[in-house]
Amino acid sequence: ASPEAGTAPTTVTVTGAAGQIGYSLLPRIASGAMLGADRPVRLRLLEIPAAVGAAAGVAMELDDCAFPLLAGIDVTDDPATAFDGADVALLVGSRPRGKGMERADLLQANGAIFTAQGRALAENAAADVKVLVVGNPANTNALIALHNAPGIPASRFTAMTRLDHNRAVAQLARRTGVPVTGIRGITVWGNHSATQYPDLTAATVDGRPATEVVGDPAWIEEFFIPTVQQRGAAIIEARGASSAASAASAAVDHVRDWVLGTPEGTWTSMAVVSDGSYGVPEGLVSSFPVTCSGGEWRIVQGLELDAGSRARLDVTVGELAAERDAVRGMGLLG
Ligand code: NAD
Ligand code: LMR
């Protein structure tokens, strides 16, 4: 398809644009992979002053791709400019953990970024902006941003667990010898951290219960769950840097499904503001099974949680509550 003549471009803001994920993500967005082959995009790249030059270099490369859908690129270190009229905001930039930094230092440093970006979104973005937080600790950064963005509904803030979801799909497909398209009904619950719970209870493989096709409960408990939980660390160990191409791909999947809808007959995993579903305290940004249509997400209801699943969900939600309490104690929730 070619871009519809006269269609106003969608404004997509990407923070941390000069980073590793940005480098994989931006060409995918500009090529139409995220919003569709008929949807022109205008990119706004936000970086810190020291990296604006590098982001401008990425913008030069995007120009050099001559993407038919790319209507323009702005590079800036000013959040108000970056979020001006933003329809979609991908918050990728965050403060990495440095030498000698404690977890509290990391929460504090990111708190400064996500309070400011929440405010800038509220003041400048489109009324129906869709926000995806990728930068870690993603769930809690999203919680901070939404608490500092008066006027934007909390439902417009999400955090990324799609990479964990895709990792779970890939592991199950490999084990059972089916293409990834044969896998449905996987859920990643909770935090984007090693406590997350990748859940196969309701999953199917070519329409048959995954637990039956796998056959061996020990594979799930002793291999599948820890492999998915620890995959981020395994990539860092192997690559010497955290996942970037797969994280960018997951961000494209997350936004595409949110905007264009999840496929019929299945769901995906997104971290969204809890309404109390499945006993997850209201207000926490937790990963749930989610379907999307008409640009809105909805938590899938009625799934069974056996005692083992309940215990795993309680652990990861407990971690989210502890992170919330820590940032609340720092005054970051307004
Ligand atoms: P990176 O260090 O290569 O790039 C981050 C970029 O963000 C840098 O260019 C930095 O200058 C920029 N930045 C920092 N503060 C900023 C600010 N206030 N405004 C704008 N830009 C800012 O890191 P990366 O590999 O691209 O990863 C980015 C983040 O994504 C990290 O926090 C990483 O842990 C996280 N991540 C999340 C997932 C997930 O599944 N949710 C997966 C992989 C990585
Ligand atoms: C990932 O899941 O690959 C990253 O979030 C890992 C990390 O800790 O940066």
Side-chain angles (χ1 to χ4, degrees), residues 28-29 35 53 68 103 117 145 148 170 174 186 220 254 306 322 334:
R28 301 275 314 274
I29 298 171
L35 296 173
R103 187 166 181 80
Q117 292 186 357
N148 287 278
R174 171 183 275 213
I186 285 183
I220 296 174
H254 176 116
D306 63 17

Side-chain angles (χ1 to χ4, degrees), residues 10-332:
T10 300
T11 299
V12 179
T13 303
V14 178
T15 77
Q20 291 197 87
I21 293 176
Y23 197 70
S24 286
L25 176 62
L26 290 161
R28 301 275 314 274
I29 298 171
S31 73
M34 187 171 85
L35 296 173
D38 58 354
R39 171 57 47 190
V41 290
R42 159 171 288 280
L43 288 171
R44 294 251 165 74
L45 314 188
L46 179 67
E47 258 296 350
I48 57 172
V52 158
V58 177
M60 288 162 68
E61 283 207 67
L62 291 166
D63 278 340
D64 295 348
C65 294
F67 287 117
L69 291 169
L70 187 53
I73 315 175
D74 303 301
V75 183
T76 181
D77 60 8
D78 172 32
T81 307
F83 293 123
D84 184 29
D87 299 300
V88 176
L90 296 159
L91 309 188
V92 179
S94 70
R95 178 72 187 275
R97 187 166 171 151
K99 258 204 181 111
M101 255 175 121
E102 297 298 333
R103 187 166 181 80
D105 301 329
L106 189 68
L107 288 172
Q108 186 91 57
N110 281 302
I113 295 173
F114 288 88
T115 49
Q117 292 186 357
R119 273 184 224 119
L121 279 160
E123 285 163 15
N124 300 283
D128 62 349
V129 63
K130 290 180 166 67
V131 183
L132 168 60
V133 178
V134 174
N136 282 320
N139 302 55
T140 296
N141 288 340
L143 182 76
I144 293 168
L146 77 89
H147 274 268
N148 287 278
I152 303 182
S155 62
R156 300 266 143 197
F157 287 84
T158 64
M160 192 165 90
T161 51
R162 182 59 177 265
L163 177 53
D164 311 293
H165 180 96
N166 287 350
R167 287 165 170 166
V169 168
Q171 290 297 328
L172 182 60
R174 171 183 275 213
R175 158 81 189 197
T176 57
V178 303
V180 291
T181 48
I183 306 292
R184 293 182 166 214
I186 285 183
T187 302
V188 171
W189 300 91
N191 201 0
H192 172 68
S193 77
T195 66
Q196 67 179 266
Y197 172 39
D199 179 8
L200 292 186
T201 315
T204 57
V205 176
D206 282 345
R208 290 176 55 208
T211 47
E212 219 177 276
V213 179
V214 166
D216 175 12
W219 179 82
I220 296 174
E221 291 293 320
E222 288 159 31
F223 181 82
F224 171 79
I225 293 174
T227 296
V228 176
Q229 288 175 329
Q230 298 294 334
R231 188 68 162 184
I235 300 287
I236 292 172
E237 179 67 28
R239 234 170 66 81
S242 66
S243 61
S246 55
S249 197
V252 166
D253 290 347
H254 176 116
V255 174
R256 190 196 54 232
D257 282 358
W258 190 1
V259 172
L260 300 175
T262 41
E264 274 301 300
T266 188
W267 60 78
T268 187
S269 303
M270 280 168 72
V272 298
V273 181
S274 178
D275 59 357
S277 292
Y278 298 101
V280 178
E282 209 176 321
L284 287 180
V285 178
S286 173
S287 188
F288 283 101
V290 161
T291 55
C292 304
S293 76
E296 306 285 339
W297 55 260
R298 185 187 295 249
I299 297 171
V300 175
Q301 298 297 328
L303 298 179
E304 294 290 325
L305 286 172
D306 63 17
S309 291
R310 183 79 250 166
R312 288 188 183 276
L313 180 55
D314 288 346
V315 168
T316 188
V317 166
E319 183 183 51
L320 284 173
E323 289 184 14
R324 176 202 55 201
D325 293 347
V327 297
R328 187 186 275 152
M330 295 170 187
L332 298 173

